[in-house]
């Protein structure tokens, strides 16, 4: 069932974060074309684009590296309509749908939509995998370190810091257990 919090007014401008990625063909060109198409959309204003990071694939490993980043927009477009716009842009730019987590010309994902929490058959917000993906978190920290994750109620900077501490703790624990053997 749909869960939406809070109700959005029809003419509010909501800050939305969109993940962008590509690992097929002229990757930089696909990103540029997707950004150009997004700029042409009415009621969508690009506020910031992160640096683009080259990253290894997640899921299906036997494929080229990705270029990934995050786009911050303001929009009055509702979440499901925004999803339709992003899917249309993917097709316009040249995306060919293959297997899940497989190679793609362009991928545009809604990561966060204001402080909305949505569980819909077509769309979950915040993006359910974003906290597991450094290639999402690093660009988010770059363009909006004080962004509060709606489900965690922590800033993205705090989440990244906590993850780094957890990794460091696991590394130290593993090192200590290795030295006892």
């Amino acid at each position: 069932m749909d869960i939406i919090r809070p109700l959005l007014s029809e003419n509010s401008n909501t800050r939305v974060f969109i993940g962008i990625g590509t690992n097929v063909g002229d990757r930089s060109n696909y990103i540029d074309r997707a950004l150009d198409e997004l700029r042409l959309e009415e009621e969508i204003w690009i506020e910031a684009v992160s640096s683009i990071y080259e990253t290894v694939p997640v899921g299906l490993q036997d494929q080229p590296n990705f270029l990934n980043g995050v786009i911050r927009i303001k929009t009055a477009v509702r979440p499901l309509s925004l999803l339709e716009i992003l899917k249309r842009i993917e097709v316009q730019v040249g995306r060919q749908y293959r297997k899940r987590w497989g190679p793609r010309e362009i991928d545009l994902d809604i990561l966060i939509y204001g402080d909305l929490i949505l569980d819909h058959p077509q769309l979950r917000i915040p993006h359910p995998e974003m906290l597991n993906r450094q290639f999402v978190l690093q660009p988010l920290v770059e363009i909006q370190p004080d962004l509060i994750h709606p489900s965690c109620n922590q800033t993205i900077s705090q989440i990244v810091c906590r993850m780094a501490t957890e990794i460091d703790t696991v590394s130290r624990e593993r090192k200590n257990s290795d030295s006892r053997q």
Side-chain angles (χ1 to χ4, degrees), residues 70-98:
V70 171
I71 307 160
R72 184 180 70 210
I73 66 169
K74 273 226 164 164
T75 188
V77 177
R78 305 280 295 187
L80 290 173
S81 296
L82 180 59
L83 177 63
E84 290 174 11
I85 290 169
L86 296 179
K87 294 304 172 197
R88 180 176 41 78
I89 288 172
E90 288 178 350
V91 170
Q92 287 172 326
V93 169
R95 178 156 182 183
Q96 298 174 32
Y97 289 90
R98 299 172 179 91

Side-chain angles (χ1 to χ4, degrees), residues 161-177:
C161 232
R162 180 178 42 93
M163 290 172 77
T165 302
E166 288 171 2
I167 290 168
D168 184 48
T169 301
V170 168
S171 296
R172 275 189 271 130
E173 287 174 0
R174 178 171 286 141
K175 187 176 178 182
N176 288 341
S177 75

Side-chain angles (χ1 to χ4, degrees), residues 32-137:
D32 290 342
R33 288 177 52 202
L35 289 169
D36 289 344
E37 291 295 328
L38 199 54
R39 284 183 186 101
L40 294 175
E41 292 295 324
E42 291 184 28
E43 296 192 69
I44 295 177
W45 299 272
I46 295 177
E47 292 187 324
V49 179
S50 73
S51 299
I52 302 299
Y53 298 83
E54 184 157 10
T55 63
V56 296
V58 171
L60 183 62
Q61 300 293 309
D62 188 23
Q63 59 181 318
N65 284 351
F66 278 82
L67 293 183
N68 286 295
V70 171
I71 307 160
R72 184 180 70 210
I73 66 169
K74 273 226 164 164
T75 188
V77 177
R78 305 280 295 187
L80 290 173
S81 296
L82 180 59
L83 177 63
E84 290 174 11
I85 290 169
L86 296 179
K87 294 304 172 197
R88 180 176 41 78
I89 288 172
E90 288 178 350
V91 170
Q92 287 172 326
V93 169
R95 178 156 182 183
Q96 298 174 32
Y97 289 90
R98 299 172 179 91
K99 59 181 128 180
R100 180 174 169 87
W101 291 337
R104 58 203 81 153
E105 290 77 11
I106 196 70
D107 190 29
L108 298 167
D109 291 327
I110 300 171
L111 302 171
I112 292 180
Y113 188 105
D115 59 358
L116 176 71
I117 296 174
L118 174 67
D119 188 7
H120 184 277
Q122 294 176 318
L123 180 62
R124 290 176 61 199
I125 300 173
H127 191 287
E129 294 296 324
M130 69 177 281
L131 296 178
N132 301 321
R133 297 179 175 167
Q134 191 64 30
F135 63 81
V136 169
L137 296 173

